[in-house]
Amino acid sequence: MASRSLGGLSGSRCGGGGSGSGGKKSLSARNAAVERRNLITVCRFSVKTLIDRSCFETIDDSSPEFNNFAAILEQILSHRLKEISQSCRWLAHLQIPLQGQVTWFGYESPRSFWDYIRVACRKVAQNCICSIENMENVSSSRAKGRAWIRVALMEKHLSEYISTALRDFKTTRRFYEDGAIVLGEEANMLAGMLLGLNAIDFSFCLKGEGLDGNFPAVIDYTPYLKFTQSSDSISSDEEELRTLGSSGSESSTPENVGPPFIMDENSWFNKCKRVKQKYQLTLEQKGYLEELLRLRENQLSESVSQNKILLQRIEDSDLAHKLEKEQLEYIIVELQDQLKSYQSLDQLSAEVSLSQTSLDPSQSQEGDGKQDTLNLISEGKEDTPSLLGLCGSLTSVASYKSLTSLKSNDYLASPTTEMTSPGLTPS
């Protein structure tokens, strides 16, 4: 009987232990999920604050927003990182040097996320892994990991590094335990939210105190914590205060009514203070919008005046182009007229040359003089009616007959006298 009772007791204890282990597992799973969600959420907030702060000042080592972001990212990459001894043989097989000295019991220095980054991010083109490994003032693994965060931000490749490391799932599984952020669905969110940091110009000093690997990074949650009590909650609290104030004994004096009235007065004062703050904020926004509207109106008026000036210039240029076009057309017409006159002179010279062939040798001198006269006429730039009439008199039939009726050279005039003689006037 004693053995049976002891067996039953031990069985009950085992059953209780089984249910307790199940509760512990569910509790640990819940804690791990909450931890992952908290880290991812605060990382998203820190990225937003960094982007907002970069609009007003340069982000460097002295920026509290960056220091908080670096601590958050370090906590995320160090979440559920395996102990160094579990992957010692694999890294030795890859012939990758590790930080710390090897002993029979493993590594003296604890592992950091840098051991994972320098293995998983070697596939990134033009990576900074080797340059960080060769830094003289950085010796510990944690300090090199912090230096890598700063260099990756200055190179605007932090998101690329994280994405490449997460795609190497085999390496990630060897470095992290189950339930780690980099092994869950939150990893894709992490790579996406870090992409917005590529728009910020960072400036860091890789010899500062921020690279000290002797102290762990601590996250400051206070900038992201804000409690806002809803109006319904405030009214319910006031009702409870009234109820507690009025639930006195029947023999209570009217003096007991004072505290609820005082609480009501305080609540009204708080409401008035909140309304005043909202009103002040609205006034500031109104002033900002009015100033912005004034600037936009000034810009619009300047644009309108510039538009008018440009339109006037276009009209002036169009008028100038029209006048120039008319002048060119007039010049073209004059040139065409001169070309026609030159063509008529060429025909006249051809006819004179034909008439010279029909004359006798004794009259060749006269023909030469007339040819010189025609050449002088063709070389002139001004076409006058007298010259045209002269050319017409030389080419007429009557002039041909008069030339053939001449018998001697005594009656022929020289070229110079021929031009000035009144006998050569148009017939």
Side-chain angles (χ1 to χ4, degrees):
M1 293 294 292
S3 61
R4 288 181 182 179
S5 62
L6 290 174
L9 182 60
S10 62
S12 62
R13 287 181 179 177
C14 291
S19 61
S21 62
K24 290 181 179 179
K25 288 182 179 179
S26 62
L27 183 60
S28 62
R30 184 258 179 193
N31 293 338
V34 171
E35 187 177 5
R36 291 195 303 267
R37 186 167 62 251
N38 290 341
L39 288 174
I40 291 296
T41 303
V42 75
C43 182
R44 184 171 65 251
F45 289 157
S46 65
V47 170
K48 289 183 178 180
T49 54
L50 269 178
I51 295 174
D52 293 339
R53 179 61 60 181
S54 64
C55 298
F56 304 100
E57 61 183 18
T58 304
I59 305 299
D60 53 9
D61 297 281
S62 62
S63 176
E65 289 82 6
F66 165 73
N67 293 326
N68 212 23
F69 167 76
I72 293 169
L73 185 60
E74 184 175 343
Q75 291 287 343
I76 290 175
L77 295 177
S78 302
H79 182 249
R80 300 186 71 84
L81 190 65
K82 287 182 179 179
E83 296 296 332
I84 196 71
S85 59
Q86 297 184 10
S87 57
C88 175
R89 295 180 181 178
W90 174 71
L91 293 175
H93 176 70
L94 292 180
Q95 297 180 356
I96 298 175
L98 295 175
Q99 303 295 331
Q101 297 179 355
V102 181
T103 62
W104 288 103
F105 303 100
Y107 283 81
E108 293 180 354
S109 60
R111 169 183 285 176
S112 70
F113 67 93
W114 169 245
D115 298 325
Y116 163 69
I117 290 297
R118 67 197 183 101
V119 175
C121 295
R122 289 186 178 272
K123 297 180 181 179
V124 178
Q126 299 179 356
N127 60 75
C128 60
I129 304 298
C130 295
S131 61
I132 293 177
E133 286 284 353
N134 298 327
M135 291 178 66
E136 297 179 356
N137 60 320
V138 180
S139 58
S140 64
S141 178
R142 181 182 293 172
K144 289 185 177 181
R146 293 173 180 176
W148 167 78
I149 293 176
R150 287 162 171 77
V151 173
L153 286 173
M154 288 190 290
E155 292 179 350
K156 302 182 185 298
H157 290 163
L158 181 60
S159 177
E160 182 181 359
Y161 280 109
I162 297 297
S163 300
T164 304
L166 294 178
R167 282 196 296 268
D168 192 357
F169 189 73
K170 187 176 181 180
T171 303
T172 307
R173 289 287 300 177
R174 287 176 176 174
F175 274 89
Y176 289 91
E177 299 177 356
D178 294 335
I181 294 177
V182 296
L183 293 176
E185 298 178 355
E186 297 86 356
N188 297 326
M189 298 173 57
L190 177 64
M193 70 178 65
L194 294 179
L195 190 62
L197 298 177
N198 294 341
I200 303 177
D201 294 329
F202 294 93
S203 177
F204 301 118
C205 177
L206 300 180
K207 297 180 180 180
E209 299 178 355
L211 301 181
D212 189 5
N214 297 326
F215 302 98
V218 179
I219 302 174
D220 184 12
Y221 292 96
T222 54
Y224 317 115
L225 298 177
K226 183 179 179 180
F227 175 73
T228 304
Q229 190 175 8
S230 62
S231 59
D232 297 336
S233 177
I234 294 173
S235 61
S236 63
D237 292 343
E238 292 174 356
E239 291 294 334
E240 290 179 359
L241 290 174
R242 291 193 187 96
T243 304
L244 291 175
S246 60
S247 61
S249 60
E250 295 180 356
S251 61
S252 62
T253 60
E255 295 178 357
N256 295 330
V257 185
F261 178 76
I262 294 174
M263 296 305 296
D264 290 342
E265 185 178 358
N266 291 334
S267 63
W268 282 109
F269 177 77
N270 292 332
K271 286 184 178 180
C272 181
K273 187 176 180 180
R274 287 194 297 270
V275 171
K276 186 178 180 180
Q277 291 176 354
K278 290 181 179 179
Y279 177 72
Q280 189 69 23
L281 180 61
T282 305
L283 283 180
E284 293 177 358
Q285 293 177 352
K286 178 177 176 292
Y288 169 74
L289 293 176
E290 288 178 350
E291 182 67 18
L292 185 62
L293 179 61
R294 186 181 63 81
L295 293 176
R296 294 294 181 266
E297 288 178 351
N298 293 335
Q299 293 176 358
L300 180 61
S301 61
E302 291 178 358
S303 300
V304 170
S305 61
Q306 292 178 0
N307 189 20
K308 289 181 180 180
I309 294 173
L310 291 176
L311 289 176
Q312 185 65 31
R313 290 180 181 177
I314 291 172
E315 291 178 358
D316 296 341
S317 61
D318 289 340
L319 182 59
H321 291 164
K322 288 181 181 179
L323 294 175
E324 186 178 359
K325 181 180 178 182
E326 292 177 357
Q327 293 177 359
L328 291 175
E329 289 178 352
Y330 180 74
I331 293 172
I332 290 171
V333 171
E334 289 183 350
L335 292 175
Q336 289 177 351
D337 294 339
Q338 292 181 7
L339 181 61
K340 290 179 181 179
S341 64
Y342 292 155
Q343 290 177 355
S344 63
L345 290 175
D346 292 338
Q347 293 178 359
L348 178 60
S349 62
E351 291 177 357
V352 170
S353 62
L354 290 174
S355 65
Q356 287 179 355
T357 56
S358 62
L359 296 176
D360 53 356
S362 61
Q363 297 176 350
S364 60
Q365 184 177 0
E366 182 181 358
D368 294 337
K370 293 180 178 180
Q371 183 64 32
D372 295 336
T373 304
L374 293 175
N375 291 333
L376 291 173
I377 295 171
S378 62
E379 290 177 359
K381 300 300 179 178
E382 183 179 1
D383 297 334
T384 59
S386 61
L387 293 178
L388 293 176
L390 176 61
C391 295
S393 65
L394 291 176
T395 57
S396 61
V397 179
S399 63
Y400 287 149
K401 291 180 179 180
S402 63
L403 288 173
T404 55
S405 64
L406 295 175
K407 299 298 183 181
S408 65
N409 294 333
D410 298 334
Y411 296 95
L412 294 175
S414 63
T416 56
T417 58
E418 194 175 32
M419 293 181 63
T420 61
S421 176
L424 294 178
T425 56
S427 57

